[in-house]
């Protein structure tokens, strides 16, 4: 029994660590697309969030101590907002194709981040390892629950539970507030929303900027809890996996959260596979590719059955 509990604890802990950045980023994509803007640039936004959080962490760890990763989280989110503004201006004001604009961000961000890394770290392609990170922690009170406490709330990722709380908050914001109603209305029928006095451009900007904030935070979480430094491989497809989670979750924050946890588990398989009897003999390279294969399967199998917001990806021209 103890061996089973220990195995479940390891599996859950690892899955949540990998799921946390996906939850934040998938929630960001949900806000953007609920407002009618497709944001495939989440991958690039995660890269900049990861880079900026690590640089800040390394620079201020001695002064800020254990608060460093939390403040670096906000820095990563802020940089994500700045980069999301590029996408917002291109798609809302300049009427650029949403996919093309997002792809440009995905091409720009890694190149810029690696270039700045070489400039700041004496030509090296990666930063130093941070000393202040999120690590693993136990949830007070919940860890004392018999059996369940040890499996789910002991030596686990606190950031994953923060992400779950943010998902619940995002659901409430989208479906139970005036802001959420207005954001969803411009994603479904912007012309009708405009006739009711809703500023379509402003709401779409808000959706994209929220996606930048949460995508940047997602990158910061990944860098400060998984890689513990920044290099070209710190963010390698997680933004696209988060988009798949958003689609799998049917553009609903709670659905996106559940899908992100599933994909987080898939990502963790390469690390914890040896602890799971059924897959311990599977070659590691197969487990490493599992999340990407699952992403393709989900997109092929679900994308045609899920209904995106009616005006998602459509450019709105006020004069019409």
């Amino acid at each position: 029994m103890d061996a089973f509990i220990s195995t479940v604890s390891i599996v859950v802990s690892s899955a949540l660590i990998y799921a946390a950045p996906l939850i934040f980023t998938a929630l960001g994509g949900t806000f953007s697309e609920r407002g009618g803007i497709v944001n495939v640039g989440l991958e690039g936004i995660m890269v900049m969030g990861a880079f900026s959080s690590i640089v800040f962490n390394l620079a201020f760890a001695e002064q800020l101590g254990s608060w460093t990763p939390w403040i670096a989280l906000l820095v990563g989110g802020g940089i994500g907002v700045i980069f999301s503004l590029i996408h917002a201006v291109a798609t809302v004001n300049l009427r650029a194709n949403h996919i093309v604009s997002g792809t440009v961000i995905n091409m720009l961000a890694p190149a810029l981040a690696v270039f700045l890394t070489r400039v700041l770290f004496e030509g090296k392609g990666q930063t130093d390892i941070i000393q202040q990170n999120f690590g693993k922690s136990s949830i007070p009170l919940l860890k004392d629950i018999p059996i369940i406490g040890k499996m789910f709330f002991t030596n686990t990722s606190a950031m994953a539970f923060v992400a779950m709380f943010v998902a619940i908050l995002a659901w409430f914001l989208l479906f139970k507030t005036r802001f959420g109603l207005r954001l969803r209305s411009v994603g479904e029928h912007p012309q009708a929303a405009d006739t009711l006095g809703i500023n379509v451009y402003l709401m779409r900007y808000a959706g994209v900027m929220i996606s930048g904030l949460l995508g940047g935070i997602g990158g910061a979480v990944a860098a400060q809890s998984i890689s513990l430094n920044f290099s070209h491989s710190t963010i390698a497809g997680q933004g696209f996996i988060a988009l798949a989670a958003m689609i799998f979750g049917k553009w609903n924050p709670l659905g996106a959260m559940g899908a992100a946890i599933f994909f987080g588990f898939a990502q963790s398989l390469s690390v914890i596979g040896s602890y799971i009897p059924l897959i311990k003999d599977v070659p590691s390279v197969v487990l490493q590719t599992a999340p990407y294969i699952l992403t393709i399967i989900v997109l092929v199998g679900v994308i045609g059955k899920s209904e995106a917001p009616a005006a998602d990806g459509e450019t709105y021209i006020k004069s019409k």
Side-chain angles (χ1 to χ4, degrees), residues 42-43 46-47 50 218-219 222-223 230-239:
L42 287 173
E43 174 85 2
M46 284 188 77
V47 169
F230 178 81
S231 69
H232 71 281
S233 61
T234 298
I235 304 298
Q238 287 95 320

Side-chain angles (χ1 to χ4, degrees), residues 161-181:
F161 290 97
V162 173
M164 292 177 194
F165 173 77
V166 173
I168 296 171
L169 188 64
W171 176 85
F172 181 83
L173 188 63
L174 272 177
F175 294 103
K176 300 295 180 181
T177 67
R178 179 180 296 180
F179 170 81
L181 177 61

Side-chain angles (χ1 to χ4, degrees), residues 31 46 54 64 125 133 148 170 199 219 231 246 252 255 271 279 302:
F31 274 97
M46 284 188 77
I54 290 295
L64 299 175
N133 56 69
I148 295 176
N199 189 325
S231 69
M246 175 199 68
N252 183 301
V271 177
I279 62 172
V302 176

Side-chain angles (χ1 to χ4, degrees), residues 25 47 50 67 70 89 96 120 134 139 148 185 194 197 223 230 240 245 250-251 255 259-260 263 292 302 315:
T25 309
V47 169
W67 283 97
W70 295 97
V89 171
L120 296 174
F134 288 117
I139 310 301
I148 295 176
S185 70
D194 197 1
F230 178 81
F240 297 110
K250 298 183 177 180
W251 291 269
F263 283 118
Y292 307 104
V302 176
T315 299

Side-chain angles (χ1 to χ4, degrees), residues 99-112:
I99 304 299
V100 172
S101 174
T103 302
V104 169
I105 292 176
N106 288 339
M107 295 175 68
L108 170 65
L112 177 61

Side-chain angles (χ1 to χ4, degrees), residues 10-12 14-15 265 268-276 279:
I10 292 171
V11 171
V12 170
S14 297
F265 169 71
S268 71
L269 287 178
S270 61
V271 177
I272 61 172
S274 59
Y275 295 96
I276 303 175
I279 62 172

Side-chain angles (χ1 to χ4, degrees), residues 30-302:
T30 300
F31 274 97
S32 182
E33 299 212 7
R34 279 290 182 177
I37 303 295
V38 176
N39 192 357
V40 299
L42 287 173
E43 174 85 2
I45 291 172
M46 284 188 77
V47 169
M48 295 310 300
F51 167 75
S52 57
S53 65
I54 290 295
V55 171
F56 180 89
N57 191 308
L58 290 170
F60 293 98
E62 291 186 7
Q63 293 90 334
L64 299 175
S66 60
W67 283 97
T68 307
W70 295 97
I71 300 176
L73 201 71
L74 300 179
V75 172
I79 296 299
V81 170
I82 293 173
F83 258 73
S84 71
L85 279 173
I86 300 173
H87 187 56
V89 171
T91 55
V92 177
N93 296 104
L94 303 181
R95 302 170 187 171
N97 181 281
H98 297 195
I99 304 299
V100 172
S101 174
T103 302
V104 169
I105 292 176
N106 288 339
M107 295 175 68
L108 170 65
L112 177 61
V114 171
F115 170 75
L116 292 176
T117 298
R118 291 186 179 278
V119 170
L120 296 174
F121 294 91
E122 302 176 349
K124 293 187 291 185
Q126 61 184 28
T127 67
D128 299 329
I129 300 293
I130 59 173
Q131 300 303 313
Q132 296 290 342
N133 56 69
F134 288 117
K136 293 182 179 181
S137 56
S138 298
I139 310 301
L141 300 178
L142 295 178
K143 66 182 178 62
D144 298 324
I145 300 175
I147 302 178
I148 295 176
K150 188 173 181 180
M151 286 194 295
F152 295 98
F153 304 113
T154 301
N155 199 29
T156 187
S157 170
M159 283 310 304
F161 290 97
V162 173
M164 292 177 194
F165 173 77
V166 173
I168 296 171
L169 188 64
W171 176 85
F172 181 83
L173 188 63
L174 272 177
F175 294 103
K176 300 295 180 181
T177 67
R178 179 180 296 180
F179 170 81
L181 177 61
R182 291 184 174 188
L183 183 67
R184 288 184 289 119
S185 70
V186 302
E188 292 290 343
H189 203 305
Q191 287 84 3
D194 197 1
T195 60
L196 294 174
I198 297 173
N199 189 325
V200 176
Y201 289 176
L202 180 62
M203 293 307 300
R204 287 192 163 185
Y205 260 86
V208 175
M209 290 172 70
I210 291 173
S211 77
L213 174 67
L214 293 173
I217 288 175
V221 171
Q224 295 183 103
S225 61
I226 300 173
S227 67
L228 306 185
N229 74 339
F230 178 81
S231 69
H232 71 281
S233 61
T234 298
I235 304 298
Q238 287 95 320
F240 297 110
I241 294 174
L243 279 175
M246 175 199 68
I247 295 169
F248 196 19
K250 298 183 177 180
W251 291 269
N252 183 301
L254 299 182
M257 177 190 72
I261 293 174
F262 168 73
F263 283 118
F265 169 71
Q267 275 196 297
S268 71
L269 287 178
S270 61
V271 177
I272 61 172
S274 59
Y275 295 96
I276 303 175
L278 292 176
I279 62 172
K280 65 179 181 179
D281 296 324
V282 175
S284 60
V285 66
V286 175
L287 298 179
Q288 289 170 357
T289 59
Y292 307 104
I293 294 172
L294 287 173
T295 300
I296 294 172
I297 292 173
V298 166
L299 289 176
V300 171
V302 176

